[in-house]
Structure formats: structure tokens, C-alpha cells
Amino acid sequence: MTVHQARTWVDTDGVWTIEVPSLTSPAPDGTSVPATGAATSWSGVESSARDLIAAWIDAEPGDVQVEVHVVVPDIVIELWHEGHDLEEQARRDLDRAARIRRHAASLARDAGYPSGATALALGISQQRVAQLAPGRRGRSGAGG
């Protein structure tokens, strides 16, 4: 069974326009015009598309398979992708920041600073020092 592709978008009046690009008819000027329909709400788009296709190909709506693609303004997609890219960069930055902080705590501990002194110097708790530099001991081993 053929799966028909339908495109839809909401108009300024709140009505959803539906187009099926694979089903066309010639316009008076010879250009192709896609099958076009409408739905009064988002929840009615798929059934309206199915009804439109069924009428166009002379089939029962229950025998029609449709895949609906929502068309949004280009700016929506651009902003979505920009936000995605920024999130990915932020994750990379957070990973790098975590590695740097672990390294800083490890350097302090390896240089002989006990966890209490390291915590005070870095403005964190001794428990956080233990998380950042597990198993590290200062050279003196005292005041851990």
C-alpha cells in the first residue's frame, strides 16, 4: 500500500492547509496544482488528509495511509538548530570545565595540600575534593 506524503501548516486564521504534492491536476496555465484541503484543528489534520487523498484516488479513507509533515516558518527551524548547536557546545564546555576542575584539585592534592586546605583554597567542601580527586593524598598525609 502506498503511503502518501502530506504537508500541512497553520494559516493566520487558525485553519490548517493540507497539500499532497504527489497528487496534482493541471491549472489553466499548464502548471501543476497539488491536491489541497483544510482542517479546522491540528487534531483533524491527519483524517482530513486521509479523506482528501481517498477522494482524489477514489478509495475508502480507511484504505489510505498518510504521513503528515508539518511546515513551519524557516526562522523556527533556524532557531531550533541554533539552540541545538548551542546546547551541544555547552555540553562540550561543561565536560571540559569538569576535567579542568578535576585536574586542579588533583594538582593541589598531588602537591601535598590536604583535602581540608584544598577545599578552603578552592571554595568547595572536602567531600567535593574527594569527588574531584579520589584516592589522592597530599605528601604529608596529615589533615586529609
Side-chain angles (χ1 to χ4, degrees):
M1 181 179 287
T2 302
V3 177
H4 295 273
Q5 306 295 312
R7 299 174 346 139
T8 188
W9 60 90
V10 68
D11 295 320
T12 56
D13 61 358
V15 174
W16 289 83
T17 296
I18 303 164
E19 277 187 356
V20 182
S22 63
L23 304 177
T24 62
S25 61
D29 65 1
T31 60
S32 292
V33 177
T36 304
T40 58
S41 67
W42 164 247
S43 62
V45 167
E46 188 173 334
S47 63
S48 293
R50 189 173 284 109
D51 290 345
L52 171 65
I53 295 164
W56 198 271
I57 64 173
D58 194 27
E60 291 298 318
D63 294 335
V64 172
Q65 288 188 348
V66 62
E67 188 174 289
V68 175
H69 301 273
V70 177
V71 179
V72 295
D74 290 343
I75 187 66
V76 172
I77 299 300
E78 290 169 15
L79 289 172
W80 181 259
H81 288 300
E82 181 181 351
H84 178 269
D85 293 346
L86 288 171
E87 280 182 351
E88 290 297 316
Q89 182 61 50
R91 284 186 192 95
R92 287 190 297 272
D93 290 347
L94 284 171
D95 288 345
R96 182 170 180 258
R99 285 192 309 274
I100 290 170
R101 292 181 126 202
R102 283 191 302 273
H103 185 64
S106 294
L107 286 175
R109 297 293 282 135
D110 289 347
Y113 291 87
S115 61
T118 300
L120 190 59
L122 300 178
I124 58 177
S125 69
Q126 288 187 46
Q127 292 81 5
R128 185 67 179 134
V129 170
Q131 291 171 339
L132 293 171
R136 304 281 180 154
R137 296 281 183 238
R139 282 191 301 234
S140 69

